[in-house]
Amino acid sequence: MDPTTDNAGYAGDPGRSRASLESLRAEIAKAVVGQDPAVTGLVVALLCRGHVLLEGVPGVAKTLLVRALASALELDTKRVQFTPDLMPSDVTGSLVYDTRTAEFSFQPGPVFTNLLLADEINRTPPKTQSSLLEAMEERQVTVDGTPRPLPDPFLVAATQNPVEYEGTYPLPEAQLDRFLLKLTIPLPSRQDEIDVLTRHAGGFNPRDLRAAGVRPVAGPADLEAARAAVAKTSISPEITAYVVDICRATRESPSLTLGVSPRGATALLATSRAWAWLTGRDYVIPDDVKALALPTLRHRVQLRPEAEMEGVTADSVINAILAHVPVPR
């Protein structure tokens, strides 16, 4: 299905949009094996106009996942390999002198795209990391005092390696908080890994998604209709209070030095709403909040050193809070 032709007939139809976005899983599965939760997380982020931090060891198809999503959604995508010598202008763009006109003209950087893959974002210095902050938060880039809007939709999918810390610059809390979700990409199960090797033995080329059969199944019109439908998904006062209670409990946890801010509470409400709509409901239930609590909150808390030494993780703390905070009926 080509969205440029088929979407014209049903743009604004949330039912068709939901079906199209749900079909992304099957389409991306033609290239990526066994990463349904990550695919769902990326779709939720697109619906919420948020950004995603992907964490996983090298070789678990983080880059391939983002490229497959862009192909299945027919979105423009660009990739930046973050390195210690990368400059902010290498990401945002810069003014270039044109000798023919004797004037400076703006040369857009790779951030001017729908889906920016920021590979190994923790390998570049803070100055370059922060160049993404305005783009992620304001959806614009300011060069020489002139703001330039970014395309819509716009999503930053940043990757980082959780096991290799030498020569890296950990993202500060302020920048981590700008990511809507932090998705962990696990190593595949035995059967999934067998499937991966079988595909490669059969001639699968991860650099040629068209040959793998990945086709556009949704487009910007679907995404816009879906966002409008998500905005109409109702949230009861009890659910709002439940989200607040979860986030406040993180601030009181003895295992944490930093709890979830009000921005994090707002993010959890938004992702729960998107998940409720994706699952076919026009209202949010406590299970929606629980389903999105880990990816939405895990990067917004900071463990105490002594808790970390005892093997406590952010996920285990949040799971314990979910088990103790009273669930609205």
Side-chain angles (χ1 to χ4, degrees):
M1 182 181 72
D2 182 355
T4 58
T5 57
D6 290 328
N7 282 1
Y10 62 86
D13 182 348
R16 286 294 296 269
S17 298
R18 182 189 288 119
S20 297
L21 292 176
E22 286 176 348
S23 65
L24 282 175
R25 294 184 187 182
E27 201 64 24
I28 293 173
K30 295 177 181 177
V32 182
V33 177
Q35 296 292 358
D36 278 357
V39 174
T40 301
L42 286 165
V43 173
V44 166
L46 282 167
L47 291 176
C48 298
R49 301 178 189 271
H51 309 285
V52 175
L53 183 62
L54 299 168
E55 186 174 272
V57 298
V60 290
K62 298 186 295 293
T63 303
L64 180 60
L65 174 64
V66 174
R67 289 180 52 241
L69 175 68
S71 295
L73 273 175
E74 204 173 50
L75 298 177
D76 182 45
T77 182
K78 289 186 175 68
R79 175 181 177 272
V80 178
Q81 180 66 50
F82 279 71
T83 57
D85 60 349
L86 194 73
M87 299 296 292
S89 58
D90 295 330
V91 178
T92 60
S94 59
L95 295 176
V96 177
Y97 184 72
D98 190 336
T99 55
R100 293 173 299 177
T101 61
E103 293 180 350
F104 285 94
S105 61
F106 178 66
Q107 183 67 36
V111 76
F112 286 86
T113 187
N114 297 125
L115 198 58
L116 177 67
L117 176 60
D119 242 342
E120 297 188 285
I121 191 173
N122 57 336
R123 287 206 168 278
T124 203
K127 185 177 182 180
T128 305
Q129 290 175 359
S130 64
S131 69
L132 274 179
L133 276 177
E134 182 191 16
M136 292 169 63
E137 192 70 17
E138 306 296 334
R139 299 182 183 275
Q140 66 177 22
V141 166
T142 301
V143 176
D144 197 32
T146 303
R148 294 174 169 84
L150 296 171
D152 185 45
F154 172 68
L155 180 143
V156 174
T159 72
Q160 66 177 15
N161 182 346
V163 296
E164 194 175 358
Y165 293 111
E166 188 174 347
T168 63
Y169 304 84
L171 294 173
E173 284 71 24
Q175 189 161 347
L176 282 172
D177 204 37
R178 295 302 198 280
F179 286 97
L180 181 73
L181 299 171
K182 179 182 177 182
L183 304 175
T184 56
I185 310 297
L187 287 166
S189 66
R190 180 177 182 274
Q191 185 55 54
D192 284 345
E193 196 162 1
I194 289 173
D195 291 344
V196 170
L197 267 62
T198 302
R199 289 187 181 191
H200 279 267
F204 171 70
N205 181 1
R207 294 171 185 80
D208 189 354
L209 295 177
R210 285 284 178 177
V214 179
R215 298 289 184 269
V217 294
D222 294 296
L223 203 52
E224 198 56 41
R227 286 171 171 175
V230 168
K232 296 176 182 176
T233 303
S234 64
I235 305 168
S236 69
E238 292 78 14
I239 294 295
T240 302
Y242 182 51
V243 170
V244 169
D245 289 343
I246 290 171
C247 295
R248 290 181 69 85
T250 65
R251 302 168 204 162
E252 299 165 2
S253 171
S255 299
L256 302 176
T257 58
L258 178 70
V260 176
S261 69
R263 178 190 287 156
T266 302
L268 181 54
L269 201 65
T271 55
S272 302
R273 211 177 195 181
W275 176 246
W277 180 82
L278 276 174
T279 53
R281 278 177 283 99
D282 59 359
Y283 56 92
V284 180
I285 62 175
D287 283 349
D288 300 324
V289 178
K290 290 181 179 180
L292 272 298
L294 285 180
T296 307
L297 305 181
R298 58 163 60 110
H299 56 297
R300 304 175 193 272
V301 300
Q302 192 172 52
L303 289 167
R304 291 188 183 277
E306 56 269 27
E308 202 165 1
M309 289 176 64
E310 292 172 2
V312 177
T313 64
D315 284 13
S316 65
V317 173
I318 294 169
N319 278 326
I321 288 171
L322 291 174
H324 286 90
V325 172
V327 179
R329 304 228 174 242

Short mmCIF file of all heavy atoms in Angstrom, two decimals, residues 135-187:
data_model
loop_
_atom_site.label_atom_id
_atom_site.label_comp_id
_atom_site.label_asym_id
_atom_site.label_seq_id
_atom_site.Cartn_x
_atom_site.Cartn_y
_atom_site.Cartn_z
N ALA A 135 16.42 21.38 19.41
CA ALA A 135 15.70 20.65 18.36
C ALA A 135 14.65 19.72 18.97
O ALA A 135 13.52 19.65 18.49
CB ALA A 135 16.68 19.86 17.51
N MET A 136 15.02 19.02 20.05
CA MET A 136 14.09 18.07 20.67
C MET A 136 12.95 18.77 21.39
O MET A 136 11.81 18.33 21.32
CB MET A 136 14.86 17.19 21.65
CG MET A 136 15.85 16.24 20.98
SD MET A 136 16.97 15.42 22.15
CE MET A 136 15.83 14.48 23.14
N GLU A 137 13.26 19.87 22.06
CA GLU A 137 12.25 20.53 22.89
C GLU A 137 11.42 21.54 22.10
O GLU A 137 10.20 21.58 22.19
CB GLU A 137 12.93 21.22 24.07
CG GLU A 137 11.97 21.70 25.14
CD GLU A 137 11.34 20.57 25.91
OE1 GLU A 137 11.87 19.44 25.87
OE2 GLU A 137 10.30 20.81 26.56
N GLU A 138 12.11 22.38 21.31
CA GLU A 138 11.43 23.47 20.60
C GLU A 138 11.07 23.11 19.16
O GLU A 138 10.36 23.84 18.49
CB GLU A 138 12.31 24.73 20.60
CG GLU A 138 12.76 25.18 21.99
CD GLU A 138 11.59 25.59 22.86
OE1 GLU A 138 10.55 26.00 22.31
OE2 GLU A 138 11.72 25.49 24.10
N ARG A 139 11.63 21.99 18.67
CA ARG A 139 11.40 21.57 17.29
C ARG A 139 11.80 22.66 16.29
O ARG A 139 11.10 22.92 15.31
CB ARG A 139 9.95 21.13 17.08
CG ARG A 139 9.63 19.95 17.99
CD ARG A 139 8.24 19.41 17.84
NE ARG A 139 8.09 18.34 18.82
CZ ARG A 139 8.46 17.07 18.62
NH1 ARG A 139 8.98 16.74 17.47
NH2 ARG A 139 8.31 16.16 19.56
N GLN A 140 12.92 23.27 16.60
CA GLN A 140 13.49 24.25 15.70
C GLN A 140 14.99 24.32 15.96
O GLN A 140 15.48 23.84 16.98
CB GLN A 140 12.86 25.62 15.91
CG GLN A 140 13.18 26.23 17.27
CD GLN A 140 12.60 27.62 17.44
OE1 GLN A 140 11.66 27.99 16.75
NE2 GLN A 140 13.16 28.41 18.36
N VAL A 141 15.70 24.92 15.02
CA VAL A 141 17.14 25.13 15.15
C VAL A 141 17.40 26.61 14.92
O VAL A 141 16.89 27.20 13.96
CB VAL A 141 17.92 24.29 14.12
CG1 VAL A 141 19.36 24.74 14.02
CG2 VAL A 141 17.86 22.81 14.50
N THR A 142 18.17 27.23 15.82
CA THR A 142 18.50 28.64 15.68
C THR A 142 19.97 28.76 15.27
O THR A 142 20.86 28.32 16.00
CB THR A 142 18.26 29.40 16.99
OG1 THR A 142 16.89 29.27 17.36
CG2 THR A 142 18.59 30.87 16.83
N VAL A 143 20.20 29.33 14.11
CA VAL A 143 21.55 29.57 13.60
C VAL A 143 21.66 31.03 13.23
O VAL A 143 20.83 31.55 12.47
CB VAL A 143 21.86 28.66 12.38
CG1 VAL A 143 23.23 28.99 11.81
CG2 VAL A 143 21.78 27.20 12.75
N ASP A 144 22.67 31.70 13.79
CA ASP A 144 22.89 33.13 13.55
C ASP A 144 21.65 33.95 13.92
O ASP A 144 21.29 34.92 13.24
CB ASP A 144 23.27 33.36 12.09
CG ASP A 144 23.90 34.74 11.86
OD1 ASP A 144 24.58 35.24 12.77
OD2 ASP A 144 23.69 35.31 10.77
N GLY A 145 20.98 33.54 15.00
CA GLY A 145 19.83 34.29 15.51
C GLY A 145 18.53 34.04 14.78
O GLY A 145 17.49 34.60 15.16
N THR A 146 18.55 33.20 13.76
CA THR A 146 17.33 32.93 12.99
C THR A 146 16.79 31.54 13.31
O THR A 146 17.47 30.55 13.08
CB THR A 146 17.62 33.02 11.47
OG1 THR A 146 18.15 34.30 11.17
CG2 THR A 146 16.34 32.80 10.67
N PRO A 147 15.56 31.46 13.86
CA PRO A 147 14.98 30.14 14.13
C PRO A 147 14.47 29.49 12.85
O PRO A 147 13.84 30.15 12.01
CB PRO A 147 13.83 30.45 15.10
CG PRO A 147 13.45 31.87 14.80
CD PRO A 147 14.70 32.55 14.31
N ARG A 148 14.76 28.20 12.70
CA ARG A 148 14.32 27.46 11.53
C ARG A 148 13.56 26.23 11.99
O ARG A 148 14.12 25.35 12.64
CB ARG A 148 15.52 27.07 10.66
CG ARG A 148 16.22 28.27 10.04
CD ARG A 148 17.50 27.88 9.30
NE ARG A 148 18.01 29.00 8.51
CZ ARG A 148 18.78 29.97 8.99
NH1 ARG A 148 19.14 29.96 10.26
NH2 ARG A 148 19.19 30.95 8.20
N PRO A 149 12.26 26.15 11.66
CA PRO A 149 11.44 25.02 12.14
C PRO A 149 11.85 23.70 11.50
O PRO A 149 12.29 23.66 10.34
CB PRO A 149 10.02 25.41 11.72
CG PRO A 149 10.20 26.38 10.59
CD PRO A 149 11.48 27.10 10.85
N LEU A 150 11.72 22.62 12.28
CA LEU A 150 12.02 21.28 11.79
C LEU A 150 10.77 20.66 11.18
O LEU A 150 9.64 21.10 11.45
CB LEU A 150 12.53 20.42 12.95
CG LEU A 150 13.86 20.87 13.56
CD1 LEU A 150 14.15 20.08 14.83
CD2 LEU A 150 14.99 20.70 12.55
N PRO A 151 10.93 19.64 10.36
CA PRO A 151 9.76 19.00 9.75
C PRO A 151 8.87 18.35 10.81
O PRO A 151 9.27 18.10 11.94
CB PRO A 151 10.38 17.92 8.84
CG PRO A 151 11.81 18.31 8.67
CD PRO A 151 12.20 19.04 9.91
N ASP A 152 7.63 18.10 10.43
CA ASP A 152 6.70 17.38 11.29
C ASP A 152 6.17 16.18 10.50
O ASP A 152 5.72 16.35 9.37
CB ASP A 152 5.53 18.28 11.71
CG ASP A 152 4.60 17.60 12.70
OD1 ASP A 152 5.11 16.97 13.65
OD2 ASP A 152 3.37 17.67 12.50
N PRO A 153 6.23 14.96 11.04
CA PRO A 153 6.71 14.60 12.37
C PRO A 153 8.23 14.66 12.48
O PRO A 153 8.94 14.57 11.49
CB PRO A 153 6.21 13.16 12.52
CG PRO A 153 6.13 12.64 11.13
CD PRO A 153 5.70 13.80 10.29
N PHE A 154 8.68 14.81 13.74
CA PHE A 154 10.12 14.82 14.02
C PHE A 154 10.36 14.01 15.28
O PHE A 154 9.76 14.26 16.33
CB PHE A 154 10.62 16.26 14.21
CG PHE A 154 12.04 16.33 14.69
CD1 PHE A 154 13.08 15.92 13.86
CD2 PHE A 154 12.35 16.79 15.96
CE1 PHE A 154 14.41 15.98 14.30
CE2 PHE A 154 13.66 16.84 16.39
CZ PHE A 154 14.70 16.43 15.55
N LEU A 155 11.24 13.01 15.16
CA LEU A 155 11.56 12.16 16.30
C LEU A 155 13.06 11.89 16.32
O LEU A 155 13.65 11.57 15.28
CB LEU A 155 10.80 10.84 16.23
CG LEU A 155 11.04 9.82 17.36
CD1 LEU A 155 9.74 9.10 17.72
CD2 LEU A 155 12.08 8.77 16.96
N VAL A 156 13.66 12.04 17.49
CA VAL A 156 15.07 11.66 17.69
C VAL A 156 15.09 10.29 18.36
O VAL A 156 14.51 10.10 19.43
CB VAL A 156 15.81 12.67 18.57
CG1 VAL A 156 17.22 12.17 18.89
CG2 VAL A 156 15.90 14.03 17.87
N ALA A 157 15.71 9.34 17.70
CA ALA A 157 15.95 8.01 18.29
C ALA A 157 17.44 7.90 18.54
O ALA A 157 18.22 7.71 17.61
CB ALA A 157 15.46 6.91 17.36
N ALA A 158 17.84 8.07 19.80
CA ALA A 158 19.26 8.06 20.16
C ALA A 158 19.61 6.70 20.74
O ALA A 158 18.83 6.11 21.49
CB ALA A 158 19.55 9.16 21.17
N THR A 159 20.79 6.19 20.38
CA THR A 159 21.23 4.91 20.92
C THR A 159 22.43 5.12 21.83
O THR A 159 23.19 6.07 21.67
CB THR A 159 21.62 3.93 19.79
OG1 THR A 159 22.86 4.35 19.19
CG2 THR A 159 20.55 3.84 18.72
N GLN A 160 22.56 4.23 22.80
CA GLN A 160 23.77 4.23 23.62
C GLN A 160 24.05 2.81 24.07
O GLN A 160 23.17 1.97 24.18
CB GLN A 160 23.64 5.17 24.82
CG GLN A 160 22.62 4.80 25.86
CD GLN A 160 22.63 5.78 27.04
OE1 GLN A 160 23.20 6.85 26.96
NE2 GLN A 160 22.01 5.38 28.13
N ASN A 161 25.35 2.57 24.30
CA ASN A 161 25.85 1.25 24.68
C ASN A 161 25.95 1.20 26.20
O ASN A 161 26.64 2.01 26.81
CB ASN A 161 27.23 1.04 24.03
CG ASN A 161 27.81 -0.32 24.32
OD1 ASN A 161 27.35 -1.05 25.19
ND2 ASN A 161 28.85 -0.67 23.58
N PRO A 162 25.26 0.25 26.87
CA PRO A 162 25.25 0.25 28.33
C PRO A 162 26.47 -0.39 28.98
O PRO A 162 26.60 -0.35 30.20
CB PRO A 162 24.00 -0.59 28.64
CG PRO A 162 23.93 -1.56 27.51
CD PRO A 162 24.43 -0.82 26.30
N VAL A 163 27.37 -0.98 28.19
CA VAL A 163 28.47 -1.74 28.80
C VAL A 163 29.85 -1.13 28.55
O VAL A 163 30.81 -1.51 29.20
CB VAL A 163 28.49 -3.21 28.29
CG1 VAL A 163 27.23 -3.92 28.73
CG2 VAL A 163 28.64 -3.27 26.78
N GLU A 164 29.94 -0.18 27.64
CA GLU A 164 31.25 0.38 27.31
C GLU A 164 31.28 1.85 27.70
O GLU A 164 30.64 2.69 27.06
CB GLU A 164 31.51 0.24 25.79
CG GLU A 164 32.95 0.48 25.42
CD GLU A 164 33.17 0.21 23.93
OE1 GLU A 164 32.23 -0.18 23.25
OE2 GLU A 164 34.29 0.41 23.49
N TYR A 165 31.98 2.18 28.78
CA TYR A 165 31.95 3.53 29.32
C TYR A 165 33.21 4.32 29.03
O TYR A 165 33.24 5.53 29.19
CB TYR A 165 31.71 3.48 30.83
CG TYR A 165 30.34 2.96 31.18
CD1 TYR A 165 30.19 1.73 31.79
CD2 TYR A 165 29.21 3.70 30.88
CE1 TYR A 165 28.92 1.25 32.10
CE2 TYR A 165 27.94 3.24 31.19
CZ TYR A 165 27.80 2.01 31.81
OH TYR A 165 26.55 1.53 32.10
N GLU A 166 34.29 3.66 28.62
CA GLU A 166 35.55 4.37 28.36
C GLU A 166 35.37 5.29 27.15
O GLU A 166 34.93 4.88 26.09
CB GLU A 166 36.68 3.38 28.10
CG GLU A 166 38.04 4.04 28.02
CD GLU A 166 39.16 3.00 27.90
OE1 GLU A 166 38.90 1.81 28.13
OE2 GLU A 166 40.28 3.41 27.58
N GLY A 167 35.73 6.56 27.33
CA GLY A 167 35.62 7.51 26.24
C GLY A 167 34.22 7.98 25.96
O GLY A 167 33.94 8.46 24.87
N THR A 168 33.33 7.85 26.95
CA THR A 168 31.95 8.29 26.76
C THR A 168 31.64 9.48 27.66
O THR A 168 32.34 9.76 28.62
CB THR A 168 30.94 7.16 27.06
OG1 THR A 168 31.05 6.78 28.44
CG2 THR A 168 31.19 5.96 26.17
N TYR A 169 30.56 10.19 27.32
CA TYR A 169 30.09 11.33 28.08
C TYR A 169 28.64 11.07 28.48
O TYR A 169 27.73 11.28 27.66
CB TYR A 169 30.17 12.62 27.24
CG TYR A 169 31.55 12.91 26.69
CD1 TYR A 169 31.99 12.31 25.51
CD2 TYR A 169 32.41 13.78 27.35
CE1 TYR A 169 33.25 12.58 25.00
CE2 TYR A 169 33.67 14.05 26.84
CZ TYR A 169 34.09 13.44 25.68
OH TYR A 169 35.35 13.72 25.18
N PRO A 170 28.41 10.55 29.69
CA PRO A 170 27.04 10.21 30.09
C PRO A 170 26.11 11.40 29.96
O PRO A 170 26.47 12.54 30.28
CB PRO A 170 27.21 9.79 31.56
CG PRO A 170 28.64 9.37 31.69
CD PRO A 170 29.40 10.25 30.74
N LEU A 171 24.90 11.15 29.48
CA LEU A 171 23.92 12.21 29.32
C LEU A 171 23.52 12.76 30.68
O LEU A 171 23.20 11.99 31.59
CB LEU A 171 22.68 11.69 28.60
CG LEU A 171 22.86 11.25 27.15
CD1 LEU A 171 21.59 10.59 26.64
CD2 LEU A 171 23.21 12.44 26.28
N PRO A 172 23.51 14.08 30.86
CA PRO A 172 23.08 14.65 32.14
C PRO A 172 21.58 14.46 32.34
O PRO A 172 20.83 14.23 31.38
CB PRO A 172 23.43 16.14 31.99
CG PRO A 172 23.47 16.38 30.52
CD PRO A 172 23.92 15.10 29.89
N GLU A 173 21.16 14.56 33.61
CA GLU A 173 19.75 14.33 33.93
C GLU A 173 18.82 15.24 33.14
O GLU A 173 17.74 14.82 32.70
CB GLU A 173 19.51 14.52 35.43
CG GLU A 173 19.99 13.39 36.31
CD GLU A 173 21.51 13.31 36.39
OE1 GLU A 173 22.17 14.34 36.16
OE2 GLU A 173 22.03 12.22 36.66
N ALA A 174 19.23 16.50 32.93
CA ALA A 174 18.37 17.44 32.22
C ALA A 174 18.10 16.98 30.80
O ALA A 174 16.99 17.15 30.27
CB ALA A 174 19.02 18.82 32.20
N GLN A 175 19.11 16.38 30.15
CA GLN A 175 18.90 15.92 28.78
C GLN A 175 18.17 14.58 28.74
O GLN A 175 17.36 14.34 27.86
CB GLN A 175 20.22 15.82 28.04
CG GLN A 175 20.03 15.57 26.54
CD GLN A 175 21.25 15.91 25.72
OE1 GLN A 175 22.17 16.54 26.22
NE2 GLN A 175 21.27 15.49 24.48
N LEU A 176 18.47 13.71 29.72
CA LEU A 176 17.72 12.45 29.79
C LEU A 176 16.23 12.71 29.93
O LEU A 176 15.41 11.99 29.36
CB LEU A 176 18.22 11.62 30.98
CG LEU A 176 19.54 10.86 30.81
CD1 LEU A 176 19.97 10.27 32.13
CD2 LEU A 176 19.39 9.77 29.75
N ASP A 177 15.89 13.75 30.69
CA ASP A 177 14.49 14.06 30.94
C ASP A 177 13.78 14.52 29.67
O ASP A 177 12.55 14.53 29.61
CB ASP A 177 14.40 15.15 32.01
CG ASP A 177 13.06 15.12 32.74
OD1 ASP A 177 12.54 14.02 32.97
OD2 ASP A 177 12.54 16.20 33.07
N ARG A 178 14.55 14.91 28.64
CA ARG A 178 13.93 15.34 27.38
C ARG A 178 13.46 14.16 26.54
O ARG A 178 12.71 14.33 25.59
CB ARG A 178 14.92 16.17 26.56
CG ARG A 178 15.36 17.48 27.17
CD ARG A 178 14.19 18.40 27.45
NE ARG A 178 14.57 19.80 27.64
CZ ARG A 178 15.06 20.31 28.76
NH1 ARG A 178 15.28 19.51 29.78
NH2 ARG A 178 15.32 21.59 28.86
N PHE A 179 13.95 12.96 26.88
CA PHE A 179 13.50 11.77 26.14
C PHE A 179 12.20 11.27 26.76
O PHE A 179 12.11 11.06 27.97
CB PHE A 179 14.55 10.67 26.19
CG PHE A 179 15.75 10.94 25.32
CD1 PHE A 179 16.91 11.50 25.84
CD2 PHE A 179 15.71 10.66 23.97
CE1 PHE A 179 18.00 11.76 25.05
CE2 PHE A 179 16.80 10.92 23.14
CZ PHE A 179 17.95 11.46 23.69
N LEU A 180 11.20 11.07 25.93
CA LEU A 180 9.92 10.58 26.41
C LEU A 180 10.04 9.17 26.96
O LEU A 180 9.50 8.85 28.03
CB LEU A 180 8.89 10.60 25.27
CG LEU A 180 7.48 10.14 25.63
CD1 LEU A 180 6.77 11.18 26.49
CD2 LEU A 180 6.67 9.85 24.37
N LEU A 181 10.78 8.31 26.25
CA LEU A 181 10.91 6.91 26.63
C LEU A 181 12.37 6.47 26.57
O LEU A 181 13.14 6.94 25.74
CB LEU A 181 10.10 6.01 25.67
CG LEU A 181 8.60 6.22 25.57
CD1 LEU A 181 8.03 5.40 24.42
CD2 LEU A 181 7.91 5.86 26.87
N LYS A 182 12.71 5.55 27.46
CA LYS A 182 13.97 4.84 27.36
C LYS A 182 13.64 3.37 27.16
O LYS A 182 13.08 2.72 28.04
CB LYS A 182 14.83 5.02 28.60
CG LYS A 182 16.16 4.27 28.52
CD LYS A 182 16.98 4.43 29.78
CE LYS A 182 18.27 3.62 29.72
NZ LYS A 182 19.06 3.73 30.97
N LEU A 183 13.99 2.85 25.99
CA LEU A 183 13.67 1.47 25.64
C LEU A 183 14.94 0.63 25.70
O LEU A 183 15.96 1.00 25.11
CB LEU A 183 13.07 1.39 24.24
CG LEU A 183 11.82 2.25 23.98
CD1 LEU A 183 11.41 2.16 22.51
CD2 LEU A 183 10.67 1.82 24.87
N THR A 184 14.89 -0.47 26.41
CA THR A 184 16.03 -1.37 26.46
C THR A 184 15.84 -2.45 25.40
O THR A 184 14.78 -3.07 25.31
CB THR A 184 16.16 -2.02 27.85
OG1 THR A 184 14.94 -2.66 28.20
CG2 THR A 184 16.46 -0.96 28.90
N ILE A 185 16.86 -2.66 24.60
CA ILE A 185 16.83 -3.66 23.53
C ILE A 185 17.58 -4.89 24.02
O ILE A 185 18.81 -4.87 24.10
CB ILE A 185 17.46 -3.12 22.23
CG1 ILE A 185 16.89 -1.74 21.88
CG2 ILE A 185 17.24 -4.10 21.09
CD1 ILE A 185 15.43 -1.72 21.58
N PRO A 186 16.87 -5.95 24.37
CA PRO A 186 17.54 -7.12 24.95
C PRO A 186 18.20 -7.99 23.88
O PRO A 186 17.92 -7.86 22.68
CB PRO A 186 16.40 -7.88 25.63
CG PRO A 186 15.21 -7.56 24.76
CD PRO A 186 15.41 -6.15 24.29
N LEU A 187 19.08 -8.87 24.33
CA LEU A 187 19.59 -9.89 23.42
C LEU A 187 18.45 -10.82 23.03
O LEU A 187 17.53 -11.07 23.83
CB LEU A 187 20.70 -10.70 24.12
CG LEU A 187 22.03 -9.97 24.30
CD1 LEU A 187 22.92 -10.71 25.28
CD2 LEU A 187 22.74 -9.82 22.96
#
